[in-house]
Amino acid sequence: MKAKLQISSTVGSESFEYEVVKPETKIGRSPQSNDVVLIDVQISREHSLIRRRGDSFFLVDLQSANGCFVNGERVSGEQVFTEKDTLQIGKYLLKLQCEKVAPQVAKAAPSVSHTVLLRAPVNASMLIPKMDSGKISSDTDADLLKKELEELRKKSEVLTYIYELGNMFNSVFALEDIFEKMSEMLFRVTPAERCVVQLKDDETGELVVKAVKFRSQKDNQDKHITPPRAIVQQVMQEQAALLLLDAQDANKGGATAIIQGVQSVICAPLIVGGQPIGVLYVDNRKNTTGFEIPKVFGSEDLDLLSAIASQTSMALDNSKAHNRLMKEALAREAYGRFLPDNIVSKILESPESLKLGGTNIEATILFADVRGFTPLSEKLQPQEIVELLNEYFTNMTDIIFSHQGMLDKYMGDGLMALFGVGYDDKEAKENAAVNAALAAMDMQRRMVELRKKFFDQFGHEINIGIGINTGVITVGFIGSNRRMEYTGIGDPVNLAARLESNSKNSTTHVLVSAATYEKIKDKIPTRRLAPIEVKGKSEPQEVYEVVWGE
């Protein structure tokens, strides 16, 4: 007599069947120790079992926390279980269905049952068989011992495959490589004909096919395959791997499986951080000859694919983290040359903030320029000019950063820096003018050393002039959507540039405006100079020079 359990959920539309063929069929939440796995927090890891004696069936509760209920009454001890009874375990209802087996027609392919199995995510450790050493003695049946050893051998092979796959994933971070190695492993250890990976789109949240692989190379040209939606939705919702032996049943596989001629299916969720991000789907097509045994998956294949899906999930998580770190490293290298670390961190944390626009803020602007660079460049070779400028800019930029400044841009042989911008701490904003003046003093002191070095190396001396001004400017990303830069604009910027041009008339070559002087007069040594005429200003500008050599 053929017997099946019809299992349905009281929550949602989930339903499946399991063929009862073993003397004992275990039911519970643990995929490691049960034949029928029911995913529900109210169900114990090993909840109950059904014993078969001939054509009779008996239900035993395994001292579960929430019990088993037959026709509404809690089971105690061993109880007869018939087709008329309804067994409730957690949110699931189980009915027994029995039928006599009809004689098989010669040469006809055996029919495939509609059995559906669900497995919670499986890792490699769950595949290790539990052997009770107390069962093995001198009186142990030889066939039983042989069966146990064969089981161990198969599990050992599975663990070897999983270990091999894990080692491959340790050095693979590209999605294409991950899917290639995963499908290669699946075709080695399961009878799968097709393998499909679907992942959630980061923006829409919809599942998108990312990879399609075939066992037969001639079929690998067909990339337009979508797994049956009904199966994928159930796997994503339950976060459990599913084995469907007969996908041609429209109630189980859906119309897509029928159209594609799918016979047997395994679909496992890809879970990262406790959330499903996609599915790993494999199937076999229906045999159309009718004389060969169809290739169908078994519970061992389900466990194996579930373990491979767990390994793949970890590989995808590692790939995402690796790519994020690589992008951050490249972005920090690019932005960090000009922007303070905290601005770089903000850009990386919120890429959407990287858009055109600015805000008004009080800042101190510093311009520095090499004196007489044009005639100098006519005397030096191009490679010598590049070498000189690179060393000059490296030294000046380090000094600017050390005084909490932000390098705005390089302009030929000149540079522009902002102080009081990009730092959240109150002290950096309040001391912006002082920091700019201190930076200018250190820049001129460093030039004393560089001047001698450049003369010995190139036979020419160089000097720099510096202009500093303080005022409200607009700071932000300016440019176009194709190319933008973080900079400051406004009239105070123009005045700082004009002061730098006039610094050649100063003995210290560092000029500051009256606005900057008011903020540094008690902390930085200065001398008042005669007012100067600057382009763009109708009135003479009051200026001071910073005394850095004393």
Side-chain angles (χ1 to χ4, degrees), residues 186-203:
L186 280 171
F187 293 142
R188 283 174 55 189
V189 300
T190 74
E193 293 180 8
R194 305 191 301 183
C195 171
V196 182
V197 176
Q198 281 188 305
L199 296 179
K200 280 186 177 180
D201 184 86
D202 291 336
E203 295 182 359

Side-chain angles (χ1 to χ4, degrees), residues 169-231:
F169 282 162
N170 284 337
S171 58
V172 173
F173 298 104
L175 292 184
E176 295 80 4
D177 294 337
I178 291 173
F179 298 149
E180 182 68 32
K181 293 186 179 299
M182 175 209 64
S183 60
E184 177 187 329
M185 180 64 69
L186 280 171
F187 293 142
R188 283 174 55 189
V189 300
T190 74
E193 293 180 8
R194 305 191 301 183
C195 171
V196 182
V197 176
Q198 281 188 305
L199 296 179
K200 280 186 177 180
D201 184 86
D202 291 336
E203 295 182 359
T204 65
E206 297 293 324
L207 286 173
V208 179
V209 174
K210 292 294 185 179
V212 177
K213 301 292 181 182
F214 291 81
R215 178 181 293 275
S216 173
Q217 292 297 323
K218 66 179 182 179
D219 294 328
N220 272 322
Q221 303 302 320
D222 185 8
K223 302 297 183 182
H224 304 288
I225 295 177
T226 302
R229 186 178 182 86
I231 294 175

Side-chain angles (χ1 to χ4, degrees), residues 200 236 239 269-278 313:
K200 280 186 177 180
M236 292 288 285
Q239 295 190 32
L270 299 172
I271 300 175
V272 173
Q275 297 297 322
I277 64 166
S313 298

Side-chain angles (χ1 to χ4, degrees), residues 44-45 79 88 97 176 200 234 272 279 285 292 301 343 376 469 476 484 486 532 538:
S44 300
R45 292 179 60 83
Q79 180 174 323
Q88 181 164 6
Q97 183 181 23
E176 295 80 4
K200 280 186 177 180
Q234 181 178 359
V272 173
V279 297
R285 256 81 66 84
E292 296 180 8
D301 298 315
I343 291 183
L376 176 62
N469 183 33
M484 64 181 73
Y486 191 85
I532 61 173
S538 58

Side-chain angles (χ1 to χ4, degrees), residues 26 55 120 131 143 157 182 186 188 232 288 359 407 410 440 472 499 510-511 532 536-537 549:
K26 291 185 178 180
D55 292 340
M131 302 294 292
D143 291 337
E157 287 183 356
M182 175 209 64
L186 280 171
R188 283 174 55 189
V232 171
T288 58
T359 57
L407 180 66
Y410 296 128
V472 176
L499 293 177
V510 179
L511 287 188
I532 61 173
K537 295 292 183 181

